[in-house]
Amino acid sequence: MGISAYTFFEQQQADRGIDLEQVKQQIKALKIETPSWGYGDSGTRFKVFQQVGVPRNPFEKLEDAAQVHRVTGACPSVALHIPWDKVEDYDQLRRHADSLGLTLGAINPNLFQEDVYIFGSLCNSNETIRRQAVNHTLECVDIARATGSSLISLWLADGTNYPGQDNIRERKHRLLSSLQEIYQALDPHMRLLIEYKFFEPAFYHTDLGDWGMAYNMALKLGNQAQVLVDTGHHAQGTNVEQIVAYLLDEQKLGGFHFNSRKYADDDLIVGSTNPYELFLIFYQILDASQATDAGVHQTAANIAYMIDQSHCIEPKIPAMIRSILNVQTQFAKALLIDFSAVKRAQERQDVLAAENAVREAFEFDVTPLLRAVREEMGVPVDPMRAYLQSDYGQRILARGKGGASW
């Protein structure tokens, strides 16, 4: 794609009334956090496939993350998972991140891996175990202070496998009590992002099984608590875009964990199975960003975009780069929606015209646009090729095997 391709694309969009300079600025402003655990070995319930060259500690995870940011210019922060990324000196880790042009992002407590959590953590009927889970999460708040993070990203694996195993209403009360103590420990600039999941690892009921339950908890806690939407955590056929729109309107959408799914929580590369869904999610966000309600507008502007994927068979760094490129592509397409045309069609109840005004943007090839943006940002126009042509992938082979997400 050369200048002629972009010139044609620019004229094409100008004829539609789209301001490409504004579009380019919004693409440049999109920042997507990558997860430390996405650079280590991970797997399914059946097998972890070890790869040569994966990071052996949090410092090496940051070094790999810096490569993704180097070629995309879009990933300046890295989420940490505790205790997987626990270190003795968080100031040292922070300085290492600074030296790589990165910041430390959301802190993720681990409430599923300890043996004592077999029957739950924050919802456990055993007060001693609940205390351990609360204390661990409070430790994560302290780590957020030490690393300069403003986000605590909480996913709860709690649930039951059989009817009668525990009292569901009492578990709800225990959860709220635990979350209230954690919430009170937040600094004024911090946010608690509450994630939910349809099922797994529990199979009868999950204590935070859908967006409504997470929303209810966030509403009870206060303004610093919001919902985190993991795009793979829904039942088949769920309209994720509607959830996004609802939470935006309620000013309770705090962030995303981007991934893709075909059947359940598959944790595949985002946009790899249903890119139109990702496009439509951004459509709802961009529509809310134009809202006259200042609260809705601010909520849309303050969303934390994060990747959360399990790269089981893919090479880690290229898989992360592909994820970022897919997000950028669908975001760029959503920016091409003629919202005034959509609004006019909606007002006259012209179903086909409204649907076409949305879909038309999705069908554009935004490659010339993204190449132009990257040229202006001073990053490679083809990030994947730039990484593969570098020697970084060969140099890290000296690490050998043995790295892990946890």
Side-chain angles (χ1 to χ4, degrees), residues 117-120 125 158-168 171 174 202-205 207:
Y117 296 152
I118 183 173
F119 300 127
S125 61
D158 289 23
T160 61
N161 280 3
Y162 298 98
Q165 179 180 325
D166 200 354
N167 187 298
I168 295 176
R171 291 178 70 92
R174 297 173 205 144
F203 294 102
Y204 175 62
H205 104 280
D207 288 292

Side-chain angles (χ1 to χ4, degrees), residues 339-351:
F339 286 91
S340 60
V342 175
K343 183 65 174 177
R344 290 194 299 272
Q346 290 173 343
E347 288 174 348
R348 64 177 185 268
Q349 297 185 329
D350 189 332
V351 176

Side-chain angles (χ1 to χ4, degrees), residues 314-372:
E314 313 93 321
K316 314 302 179 180
I317 299 174
M320 199 69 75
I321 293 171
R322 174 52 57 202
S323 300
I324 301 305
L325 301 187
N326 286 355
V327 172
Q328 288 179 321
T329 295
Q330 299 312 321
F331 181 65
K333 290 186 176 190
L335 287 168
L336 300 181
I337 296 172
D338 183 345
F339 286 91
S340 60
V342 175
K343 183 65 174 177
R344 290 194 299 272
Q346 290 173 343
E347 288 174 348
R348 64 177 185 268
Q349 297 185 329
D350 189 332
V351 176
L352 291 181
E355 187 275 338
N356 181 71
V358 174
R359 177 176 45 80
E360 179 183 42
F362 178 74
E363 293 177 345
F364 282 110
D365 177 7
V366 293
T367 302
L369 170 62
L370 290 173
R371 290 176 68 93

